[in-house]
Short mmCIF file of all heavy atoms in Angstrom, two decimals:
data_model
loop_
_atom_site.label_atom_id
_atom_site.label_comp_id
_atom_site.label_asym_id
_atom_site.label_seq_id
_atom_site.Cartn_x
_atom_site.Cartn_y
_atom_site.Cartn_z
N VAL A 837 -0.01 11.16 -0.03
CA VAL A 837 0.04 9.84 -0.66
C VAL A 837 1.17 9.01 -0.03
O VAL A 837 2.23 9.54 0.29
CB VAL A 837 0.29 9.97 -2.19
CG1 VAL A 837 0.45 8.61 -2.86
CG2 VAL A 837 -0.84 10.78 -2.86
N THR A 838 0.91 7.73 0.16
CA THR A 838 1.98 6.78 0.51
C THR A 838 2.30 6.01 -0.76
O THR A 838 1.38 5.59 -1.48
CB THR A 838 1.50 5.79 1.59
OG1 THR A 838 1.17 6.52 2.77
CG2 THR A 838 2.58 4.77 1.93
N MET A 839 3.58 5.83 -1.07
CA MET A 839 3.96 5.05 -2.24
C MET A 839 4.22 3.61 -1.80
O MET A 839 4.68 3.37 -0.68
CB MET A 839 5.26 5.59 -2.86
CG MET A 839 5.21 7.04 -3.31
SD MET A 839 3.99 7.33 -4.60
CE MET A 839 4.49 6.08 -5.78
N ALA A 840 3.94 2.66 -2.68
CA ALA A 840 4.31 1.26 -2.39
C ALA A 840 4.96 0.69 -3.64
O ALA A 840 4.35 0.66 -4.71
CB ALA A 840 3.08 0.46 -2.01
N TYR A 841 6.22 0.27 -3.48
CA TYR A 841 6.90 -0.42 -4.58
C TYR A 841 6.69 -1.91 -4.40
O TYR A 841 7.11 -2.49 -3.39
CB TYR A 841 8.40 -0.10 -4.60
CG TYR A 841 9.16 -1.01 -5.54
CD1 TYR A 841 8.82 -1.07 -6.89
CD2 TYR A 841 10.20 -1.83 -5.08
CE1 TYR A 841 9.49 -1.93 -7.76
CE2 TYR A 841 10.88 -2.68 -5.94
CZ TYR A 841 10.51 -2.73 -7.28
OH TYR A 841 11.15 -3.58 -8.13
N GLU A 842 6.00 -2.52 -5.37
CA GLU A 842 5.72 -3.94 -5.29
C GLU A 842 6.09 -4.60 -6.61
O GLU A 842 5.27 -4.64 -7.55
CB GLU A 842 4.23 -4.17 -5.01
CG GLU A 842 3.76 -3.58 -3.70
CD GLU A 842 2.53 -4.34 -3.18
OE1 GLU A 842 1.52 -4.39 -3.88
OE2 GLU A 842 2.63 -4.90 -2.08
N PRO A 843 7.30 -5.13 -6.70
CA PRO A 843 7.67 -5.83 -7.94
C PRO A 843 6.71 -7.00 -8.16
O PRO A 843 6.52 -7.82 -7.25
CB PRO A 843 9.11 -6.30 -7.69
CG PRO A 843 9.32 -6.21 -6.20
CD PRO A 843 8.35 -5.22 -5.67
N VAL A 844 6.09 -7.06 -9.32
CA VAL A 844 5.03 -8.04 -9.55
C VAL A 844 5.55 -9.47 -9.39
O VAL A 844 4.86 -10.35 -8.89
CB VAL A 844 4.39 -7.83 -10.95
CG1 VAL A 844 3.26 -8.81 -11.20
CG2 VAL A 844 3.86 -6.40 -11.07
N TRP A 845 6.82 -9.67 -9.77
CA TRP A 845 7.40 -11.01 -9.68
C TRP A 845 7.62 -11.46 -8.24
O TRP A 845 7.91 -12.64 -8.00
CB TRP A 845 8.74 -11.06 -10.45
CG TRP A 845 9.64 -9.89 -10.17
CD1 TRP A 845 9.66 -8.69 -10.81
CD2 TRP A 845 10.64 -9.79 -9.14
NE1 TRP A 845 10.60 -7.86 -10.26
CE2 TRP A 845 11.23 -8.52 -9.24
CE3 TRP A 845 11.11 -10.68 -8.16
CZ2 TRP A 845 12.25 -8.08 -8.40
CZ3 TRP A 845 12.13 -10.25 -7.31
CH2 TRP A 845 12.69 -8.96 -7.44
N ALA A 846 7.47 -10.56 -7.28
CA ALA A 846 7.68 -10.94 -5.88
C ALA A 846 6.37 -11.09 -5.12
O ALA A 846 6.37 -11.49 -3.96
CB ALA A 846 8.55 -9.88 -5.20
N ILE A 847 5.25 -10.76 -5.77
CA ILE A 847 3.97 -10.77 -5.04
C ILE A 847 3.37 -12.17 -5.03
O ILE A 847 3.09 -12.74 -6.08
CB ILE A 847 2.98 -9.77 -5.66
CG1 ILE A 847 3.53 -8.35 -5.51
CG2 ILE A 847 1.61 -9.88 -4.98
CD1 ILE A 847 2.65 -7.28 -6.09
N GLY A 848 3.20 -12.70 -3.82
CA GLY A 848 2.56 -14.01 -3.66
C GLY A 848 3.39 -15.15 -4.23
O GLY A 848 2.88 -16.26 -4.39
N THR A 849 4.65 -14.91 -4.54
CA THR A 849 5.45 -15.94 -5.18
C THR A 849 6.47 -16.55 -4.23
O THR A 849 7.11 -17.55 -4.56
CB THR A 849 6.27 -15.33 -6.35
OG1 THR A 849 7.09 -14.27 -5.80
CG2 THR A 849 5.38 -14.77 -7.43
N GLY A 850 6.63 -15.92 -3.06
CA GLY A 850 7.67 -16.39 -2.14
C GLY A 850 9.04 -15.88 -2.54
O GLY A 850 10.03 -16.08 -1.84
N ARG A 851 9.11 -15.21 -3.68
CA ARG A 851 10.40 -14.69 -4.16
C ARG A 851 10.46 -13.19 -3.82
O ARG A 851 9.81 -12.37 -4.45
CB ARG A 851 10.45 -14.89 -5.68
CG ARG A 851 11.76 -14.49 -6.27
CD ARG A 851 11.78 -14.76 -7.76
NE ARG A 851 12.86 -13.97 -8.34
CZ ARG A 851 13.06 -13.83 -9.62
NH1 ARG A 851 12.27 -14.40 -10.49
NH2 ARG A 851 14.07 -13.10 -10.05
N THR A 852 11.23 -12.87 -2.77
CA THR A 852 11.28 -11.47 -2.33
C THR A 852 12.40 -10.75 -3.06
O THR A 852 13.43 -11.36 -3.36
CB THR A 852 11.64 -11.41 -0.82
OG1 THR A 852 11.02 -12.50 -0.18
CG2 THR A 852 11.22 -10.12 -0.19
N ALA A 853 12.22 -9.45 -3.27
CA ALA A 853 13.36 -8.65 -3.74
C ALA A 853 14.39 -8.64 -2.61
O ALA A 853 14.02 -8.68 -1.44
CB ALA A 853 12.88 -7.24 -4.04
N THR A 854 15.65 -8.62 -2.95
CA THR A 854 16.65 -8.49 -1.89
C THR A 854 16.54 -7.07 -1.33
O THR A 854 16.04 -6.17 -2.01
CB THR A 854 18.08 -8.69 -2.42
OG1 THR A 854 18.34 -7.64 -3.36
CG2 THR A 854 18.25 -10.04 -3.11
N PRO A 855 17.00 -6.89 -0.09
CA PRO A 855 16.97 -5.54 0.46
C PRO A 855 17.67 -4.53 -0.47
O PRO A 855 17.20 -3.41 -0.64
CB PRO A 855 17.72 -5.68 1.79
CG PRO A 855 17.49 -7.11 2.18
CD PRO A 855 17.48 -7.88 0.89
N GLN A 856 18.74 -4.95 -1.14
CA GLN A 856 19.45 -4.04 -2.04
C GLN A 856 18.61 -3.71 -3.26
O GLN A 856 18.58 -2.56 -3.72
CB GLN A 856 20.80 -4.66 -2.50
CG GLN A 856 21.83 -4.84 -1.40
CD GLN A 856 21.45 -5.92 -0.37
OE1 GLN A 856 20.72 -6.88 -0.65
NE2 GLN A 856 21.94 -5.74 0.86
N GLN A 857 17.93 -4.73 -3.80
CA GLN A 857 17.07 -4.46 -4.97
C GLN A 857 15.95 -3.49 -4.59
O GLN A 857 15.61 -2.58 -5.34
CB GLN A 857 16.44 -5.77 -5.48
CG GLN A 857 17.40 -6.62 -6.29
CD GLN A 857 16.78 -7.98 -6.64
OE1 GLN A 857 16.07 -8.58 -5.83
NE2 GLN A 857 17.05 -8.46 -7.84
N ALA A 858 15.36 -3.70 -3.39
CA ALA A 858 14.29 -2.80 -2.95
C ALA A 858 14.86 -1.40 -2.77
O ALA A 858 14.29 -0.42 -3.28
CB ALA A 858 13.69 -3.32 -1.64
N GLN A 859 15.99 -1.29 -2.08
CA GLN A 859 16.58 0.03 -1.82
C GLN A 859 16.87 0.79 -3.13
O GLN A 859 16.60 1.99 -3.23
CB GLN A 859 17.86 -0.13 -0.97
CG GLN A 859 18.72 1.13 -0.82
CD GLN A 859 17.98 2.34 -0.23
OE1 GLN A 859 17.01 2.20 0.50
NE2 GLN A 859 18.43 3.54 -0.57
N GLU A 860 17.40 0.07 -4.12
CA GLU A 860 17.71 0.74 -5.40
C GLU A 860 16.47 1.40 -6.00
O GLU A 860 16.53 2.56 -6.43
CB GLU A 860 18.19 -0.31 -6.43
CG GLU A 860 19.68 -0.50 -6.47
CD GLU A 860 20.06 -1.69 -7.35
OE1 GLU A 860 19.35 -1.98 -8.34
OE2 GLU A 860 21.08 -2.33 -7.04
N VAL A 861 15.37 0.66 -6.01
CA VAL A 861 14.16 1.22 -6.62
C VAL A 861 13.56 2.31 -5.71
O VAL A 861 13.12 3.35 -6.20
CB VAL A 861 13.12 0.12 -6.95
CG1 VAL A 861 11.89 0.72 -7.60
CG2 VAL A 861 13.74 -0.94 -7.84
N HIS A 862 13.59 2.08 -4.40
CA HIS A 862 13.03 3.10 -3.50
C HIS A 862 13.80 4.41 -3.62
O HIS A 862 13.21 5.49 -3.61
CB HIS A 862 13.07 2.60 -2.04
CG HIS A 862 11.99 1.61 -1.73
ND1 HIS A 862 11.18 1.69 -0.62
CD2 HIS A 862 11.56 0.52 -2.42
CE1 HIS A 862 10.31 0.69 -0.63
NE2 HIS A 862 10.54 -0.03 -1.70
N SER A 863 15.10 4.30 -3.72
CA SER A 863 15.90 5.52 -3.84
C SER A 863 15.62 6.21 -5.18
O SER A 863 15.52 7.44 -5.26
CB SER A 863 17.36 5.14 -3.64
OG SER A 863 18.19 5.81 -4.49
N PHE A 864 15.40 5.41 -6.22
CA PHE A 864 15.03 5.97 -7.52
C PHE A 864 13.68 6.70 -7.41
O PHE A 864 13.53 7.82 -7.93
CB PHE A 864 14.94 4.84 -8.57
CG PHE A 864 14.31 5.27 -9.85
CD1 PHE A 864 15.02 6.03 -10.77
CD2 PHE A 864 12.98 4.94 -10.14
CE1 PHE A 864 14.41 6.47 -11.96
CE2 PHE A 864 12.37 5.36 -11.31
CZ PHE A 864 13.09 6.13 -12.22
N VAL A 865 12.73 6.09 -6.70
CA VAL A 865 11.40 6.70 -6.55
C VAL A 865 11.52 8.03 -5.80
O VAL A 865 10.92 9.04 -6.18
CB VAL A 865 10.43 5.74 -5.80
CG1 VAL A 865 9.14 6.44 -5.41
CG2 VAL A 865 10.14 4.51 -6.65
N ARG A 866 12.34 8.05 -4.75
CA ARG A 866 12.47 9.28 -3.98
C ARG A 866 13.10 10.40 -4.83
O ARG A 866 12.67 11.54 -4.79
CB ARG A 866 13.29 9.02 -2.70
CG ARG A 866 12.89 9.95 -1.56
CD ARG A 866 13.61 9.67 -0.26
NE ARG A 866 13.28 8.42 0.39
CZ ARG A 866 12.11 8.15 0.99
NH1 ARG A 866 11.16 9.07 1.01
NH2 ARG A 866 11.90 6.98 1.56
N LYS A 867 14.10 10.03 -5.63
CA LYS A 867 14.73 11.04 -6.50
C LYS A 867 13.73 11.55 -7.53
O LYS A 867 13.68 12.75 -7.84
CB LYS A 867 15.94 10.44 -7.21
CG LYS A 867 17.12 10.29 -6.27
CD LYS A 867 18.43 10.10 -7.05
CE LYS A 867 19.54 9.65 -6.12
NZ LYS A 867 19.82 8.21 -6.20
N LEU A 868 12.94 10.63 -8.06
CA LEU A 868 11.94 11.02 -9.06
C LEU A 868 10.94 12.00 -8.44
O LEU A 868 10.58 13.02 -9.05
CB LEU A 868 11.22 9.77 -9.57
CG LEU A 868 10.12 9.98 -10.59
CD1 LEU A 868 10.69 10.50 -11.91
CD2 LEU A 868 9.35 8.68 -10.85
N LEU A 869 10.51 11.73 -7.21
CA LEU A 869 9.55 12.62 -6.54
C LEU A 869 10.18 13.98 -6.27
O LEU A 869 9.50 15.01 -6.35
CB LEU A 869 9.03 11.98 -5.24
CG LEU A 869 8.13 10.74 -5.47
CD1 LEU A 869 7.90 9.99 -4.16
CD2 LEU A 869 6.80 11.13 -6.10
N ALA A 870 11.48 13.99 -5.97
CA ALA A 870 12.17 15.27 -5.75
C ALA A 870 12.18 16.08 -7.05
O ALA A 870 11.99 17.29 -7.05
CB ALA A 870 13.59 15.03 -5.25
N GLU A 871 12.41 15.37 -8.18
CA GLU A 871 12.39 16.06 -9.49
C GLU A 871 10.99 16.57 -9.83
O GLU A 871 10.82 17.67 -10.35
CB GLU A 871 12.78 15.08 -10.59
CG GLU A 871 14.27 14.92 -10.82
CD GLU A 871 14.52 13.67 -11.67
OE1 GLU A 871 13.73 13.38 -12.60
OE2 GLU A 871 15.50 12.97 -11.35
N MET A 872 9.99 15.74 -9.56
CA MET A 872 8.61 16.10 -9.94
C MET A 872 8.05 17.18 -9.01
O MET A 872 7.24 17.99 -9.44
CB MET A 872 7.69 14.87 -9.84
CG MET A 872 7.95 13.81 -10.90
SD MET A 872 7.05 12.26 -10.55
CE MET A 872 5.34 12.79 -10.66
N TYR A 873 8.46 17.18 -7.75
CA TYR A 873 7.91 18.13 -6.77
C TYR A 873 9.07 18.88 -6.13
O TYR A 873 9.61 19.78 -6.72
CB TYR A 873 7.01 17.39 -5.77
CG TYR A 873 5.88 16.68 -6.47
CD1 TYR A 873 5.97 15.32 -6.77
CD2 TYR A 873 4.76 17.37 -6.91
CE1 TYR A 873 4.97 14.68 -7.47
CE2 TYR A 873 3.75 16.74 -7.62
CZ TYR A 873 3.86 15.39 -7.90
OH TYR A 873 2.88 14.75 -8.61
N ASP A 874 9.45 18.47 -4.93
CA ASP A 874 10.60 19.14 -4.31
C ASP A 874 11.26 18.19 -3.30
O ASP A 874 10.71 17.14 -2.97
CB ASP A 874 10.19 20.45 -3.63
CG ASP A 874 9.08 20.25 -2.62
OD1 ASP A 874 9.31 19.57 -1.62
OD2 ASP A 874 7.95 20.76 -2.84
N ASP A 875 12.44 18.62 -2.81
CA ASP A 875 13.22 17.75 -1.93
C ASP A 875 12.48 17.43 -0.64
O ASP A 875 12.55 16.31 -0.14
CB ASP A 875 14.55 18.42 -1.56
CG ASP A 875 15.50 18.44 -2.75
OD1 ASP A 875 15.24 17.70 -3.72
OD2 ASP A 875 16.49 19.20 -2.70
N GLN A 876 11.78 18.44 -0.12
CA GLN A 876 11.12 18.21 1.16
C GLN A 876 10.02 17.15 1.04
O GLN A 876 9.91 16.24 1.86
CB GLN A 876 10.53 19.53 1.68
CG GLN A 876 10.10 19.39 3.14
CD GLN A 876 9.34 20.61 3.63
OE1 GLN A 876 9.44 21.69 3.06
NE2 GLN A 876 8.57 20.42 4.68
N LEU A 877 9.23 17.27 -0.03
CA LEU A 877 8.18 16.27 -0.24
C LEU A 877 8.80 14.88 -0.38
O LEU A 877 8.35 13.91 0.22
CB LEU A 877 7.36 16.62 -1.48
CG LEU A 877 6.21 15.66 -1.80
CD1 LEU A 877 4.98 16.42 -2.29
CD2 LEU A 877 6.60 14.60 -2.81
N ALA A 878 9.86 14.79 -1.17
CA ALA A 878 10.50 13.49 -1.40
C ALA A 878 11.07 12.91 -0.10
O ALA A 878 11.04 11.70 0.11
CB ALA A 878 11.60 13.65 -2.44
N GLU A 879 11.57 13.78 0.76
CA GLU A 879 12.13 13.34 2.05
C GLU A 879 11.05 12.83 2.97
O GLU A 879 11.26 11.91 3.76
CB GLU A 879 12.83 14.52 2.75
CG GLU A 879 14.33 14.52 2.68
CD GLU A 879 14.96 13.14 2.80
OE1 GLU A 879 14.86 12.55 3.88
OE2 GLU A 879 15.54 12.65 1.81
N GLU A 880 9.86 13.45 2.90
CA GLU A 880 8.82 13.15 3.89
C GLU A 880 7.89 12.02 3.47
O GLU A 880 7.27 11.38 4.31
CB GLU A 880 8.00 14.42 4.19
CG GLU A 880 8.81 15.41 5.01
CD GLU A 880 8.13 16.74 5.22
OE1 GLU A 880 6.99 16.92 4.76
OE2 GLU A 880 8.77 17.60 5.84
N ILE A 881 7.79 11.76 2.18
CA ILE A 881 6.82 10.77 1.70
C ILE A 881 7.29 9.36 2.08
O ILE A 881 8.48 9.07 2.07
CB ILE A 881 6.62 10.91 0.17
CG1 ILE A 881 5.23 10.46 -0.24
CG2 ILE A 881 7.67 10.19 -0.62
CD1 ILE A 881 4.80 11.00 -1.60
N ARG A 882 6.31 8.51 2.46
CA ARG A 882 6.69 7.15 2.83
C ARG A 882 6.63 6.24 1.61
O ARG A 882 5.69 6.30 0.84
CB ARG A 882 5.78 6.62 3.92
CG ARG A 882 6.15 7.19 5.28
CD ARG A 882 5.42 6.50 6.39
NE ARG A 882 4.00 6.76 6.33
CZ ARG A 882 3.22 6.84 7.42
NH1 ARG A 882 3.73 6.68 8.61
NH2 ARG A 882 1.93 7.06 7.29
N ILE A 883 7.66 5.40 1.48
CA ILE A 883 7.69 4.44 0.39
C ILE A 883 7.76 3.04 1.01
O ILE A 883 8.76 2.69 1.65
CB ILE A 883 8.90 4.67 -0.55
CG1 ILE A 883 8.99 6.14 -0.99
CG2 ILE A 883 8.81 3.74 -1.77
CD1 ILE A 883 10.25 6.50 -1.78
N LEU A 884 6.69 2.28 0.83
CA LEU A 884 6.63 0.92 1.38
C LEU A 884 7.13 -0.07 0.34
O LEU A 884 7.02 0.18 -0.86
CB LEU A 884 5.18 0.55 1.73
CG LEU A 884 4.36 1.57 2.53
CD1 LEU A 884 2.97 0.99 2.83
CD2 LEU A 884 5.08 1.94 3.82
N TYR A 885 7.63 -1.20 0.82
CA TYR A 885 7.96 -2.31 -0.09
C TYR A 885 6.90 -3.38 0.09
O TYR A 885 6.44 -3.64 1.21
CB TYR A 885 9.35 -2.89 0.24
CG TYR A 885 9.54 -4.23 -0.47
CD1 TYR A 885 9.90 -4.27 -1.81
CD2 TYR A 885 9.23 -5.43 0.19
CE1 TYR A 885 9.98 -5.49 -2.48
CE2 TYR A 885 9.30 -6.64 -0.47
CZ TYR A 885 9.68 -6.66 -1.80
OH TYR A 885 9.74 -7.86 -2.48
N GLY A 886 6.52 -4.04 -0.98
CA GLY A 886 5.61 -5.18 -0.89
C GLY A 886 6.02 -6.28 -1.84
O GLY A 886 6.53 -6.01 -2.94
N GLY A 887 5.80 -7.52 -1.43
CA GLY A 887 6.16 -8.67 -2.27
C GLY A 887 6.82 -9.73 -1.41
O GLY A 887 8.01 -9.63 -1.13
N SER A 888 6.00 -10.70 -0.93
CA SER A 888 6.51 -11.80 -0.10
C SER A 888 7.28 -11.32 1.13
O SER A 888 8.26 -11.94 1.54
CB SER A 888 7.36 -12.77 -0.93
OG SER A 888 6.56 -13.31 -1.98
N ALA A 889 6.82 -10.21 1.72
CA ALA A 889 7.41 -9.77 2.99
C ALA A 889 6.92 -10.73 4.08
O ALA A 889 5.77 -11.14 4.08
CB ALA A 889 6.96 -8.35 3.32
N LYS A 890 7.83 -11.10 4.97
CA LYS A 890 7.49 -12.03 6.04
C LYS A 890 8.39 -11.77 7.24
O LYS A 890 9.35 -10.98 7.12
CB LYS A 890 7.58 -13.48 5.55
CG LYS A 890 8.79 -13.82 4.73
CD LYS A 890 8.69 -15.24 4.18
CE LYS A 890 9.90 -15.60 3.33
NZ LYS A 890 9.76 -15.27 1.92
N PRO A 891 8.12 -12.44 8.38
CA PRO A 891 8.94 -12.15 9.56
C PRO A 891 10.44 -12.32 9.29
O PRO A 891 11.26 -11.56 9.78
CB PRO A 891 8.44 -13.17 10.59
CG PRO A 891 7.02 -13.41 10.20
CD PRO A 891 7.00 -13.35 8.70
N GLY A 892 10.80 -13.32 8.48
CA GLY A 892 12.21 -13.60 8.24
C GLY A 892 12.95 -12.56 7.41
O GLY A 892 14.19 -12.52 7.42
N ASN A 893 12.26 -11.73 6.64
CA ASN A 893 12.98 -10.75 5.82
C ASN A 893 12.59 -9.30 6.14
O ASN A 893 13.17 -8.36 5.60
CB ASN A 893 12.79 -11.04 4.32
CG ASN A 893 11.31 -11.03 3.89
OD1 ASN A 893 10.49 -10.36 4.50
ND2 ASN A 893 11.00 -11.77 2.84
N ALA A 894 11.59 -9.12 7.03
CA ALA A 894 11.06 -7.78 7.27
C ALA A 894 12.11 -6.81 7.82
O ALA A 894 12.24 -5.67 7.34
CB ALA A 894 9.86 -7.86 8.22
N ALA A 895 12.87 -7.26 8.80
CA ALA A 895 13.84 -6.35 9.43
C ALA A 895 14.90 -5.92 8.42
O ALA A 895 15.27 -4.73 8.35
CB ALA A 895 14.49 -7.02 10.63
N ASP A 896 15.39 -6.86 7.61
CA ASP A 896 16.42 -6.52 6.62
C ASP A 896 15.88 -5.53 5.59
O ASP A 896 16.56 -4.57 5.21
CB ASP A 896 16.89 -7.77 5.87
CG ASP A 896 17.91 -8.54 6.67
OD1 ASP A 896 18.37 -8.00 7.71
OD2 ASP A 896 18.23 -9.68 6.27
N LEU A 897 14.65 -5.78 5.14
CA LEU A 897 14.07 -4.86 4.15
C LEU A 897 13.92 -3.47 4.76
O LEU A 897 14.30 -2.47 4.15
CB LEU A 897 12.70 -5.39 3.69
CG LEU A 897 12.76 -6.58 2.72
CD1 LEU A 897 11.41 -7.31 2.68
CD2 LEU A 897 13.15 -6.13 1.32
N MET A 898 13.39 -3.43 5.99
CA MET A 898 13.12 -2.11 6.58
C MET A 898 14.37 -1.43 7.12
O MET A 898 14.32 -0.26 7.50
CB MET A 898 12.05 -2.24 7.67
CG MET A 898 10.67 -2.43 7.05
SD MET A 898 9.32 -2.35 8.24
CE MET A 898 9.37 -3.99 8.93
N SER A 899 15.50 -2.14 7.13
CA SER A 899 16.74 -1.49 7.57
C SER A 899 17.32 -0.61 6.45
O SER A 899 18.24 0.18 6.67
CB SER A 899 17.78 -2.54 7.98
OG SER A 899 18.23 -3.21 6.81
N GLN A 900 16.78 -0.75 5.25
CA GLN A 900 17.28 0.06 4.12
C GLN A 900 16.81 1.51 4.28
O GLN A 900 15.66 1.75 4.68
CB GLN A 900 16.76 -0.52 2.80
CG GLN A 900 17.19 -1.95 2.54
CD GLN A 900 18.69 -2.10 2.44
OE1 GLN A 900 19.34 -1.38 1.69
NE2 GLN A 900 19.26 -3.01 3.21
N ASP A 901 17.68 2.44 3.91
CA ASP A 901 17.40 3.86 4.14
C ASP A 901 16.06 4.33 3.59
O ASP A 901 15.38 5.14 4.21
CB ASP A 901 18.48 4.73 3.46
CG ASP A 901 19.76 4.70 4.26
OD1 ASP A 901 19.71 4.18 5.40
OD2 ASP A 901 20.78 5.21 3.76
N ASP A 902 15.71 3.85 2.39
CA ASP A 902 14.51 4.39 1.75
C ASP A 902 13.30 3.46 1.82
O ASP A 902 12.30 3.70 1.16
CB ASP A 902 14.82 4.74 0.29
CG ASP A 902 15.76 5.95 0.23
OD1 ASP A 902 15.34 7.02 0.69
OD2 ASP A 902 16.90 5.80 -0.23
N VAL A 903 13.41 2.40 2.62
CA VAL A 903 12.27 1.49 2.81
C VAL A 903 11.60 1.87 4.13
O VAL A 903 12.13 1.64 5.20
CB VAL A 903 12.71 0.00 2.80
CG1 VAL A 903 11.50 -0.91 3.03
CG2 VAL A 903 13.39 -0.34 1.48
N ASP A 904 10.41 2.47 4.02
CA ASP A 904 9.78 3.07 5.21
C ASP A 904 8.70 2.19 5.81
O ASP A 904 7.96 2.63 6.70
CB ASP A 904 9.15 4.42 4.83
CG ASP A 904 10.19 5.33 4.19
OD1 ASP A 904 11.30 5.42 4.72
OD2 ASP A 904 9.88 5.93 3.14
#
Side-chain angles (χ1 to χ4, degrees):
V837 176
T838 298
M839 301 298 307
Y841 168 58
E842 298 206 302
V844 181
W845 46 272
I847 296 179
T849 58
R851 185 178 161 189
T852 324
T854 63
Q856 294 69 28
Q857 283 173 322
Q859 170 57 26
E860 268 171 31
V861 181
H862 283 228
S863 140
F864 169 77
V865 170
R866 210 177 292 289
K867 285 197 192 102
L868 179 67
L869 291 168
E871 275 165 38
M872 290 169 63
Y873 302 98
D874 56 65
D875 288 345
Q876 192 188 339
L877 181 141
E879 257 322 293
E880 288 174 2
I881 208 160
R882 282 190 293 212
I883 310 173
L884 313 182
Y885 166 81
S888 300
K890 45 186 180 270
N893 58 28
D896 279 351
L897 285 161
M898 285 188 279
S899 71
Q900 300 298 309
D901 284 350
D902 291 298
V903 178
D904 305 315

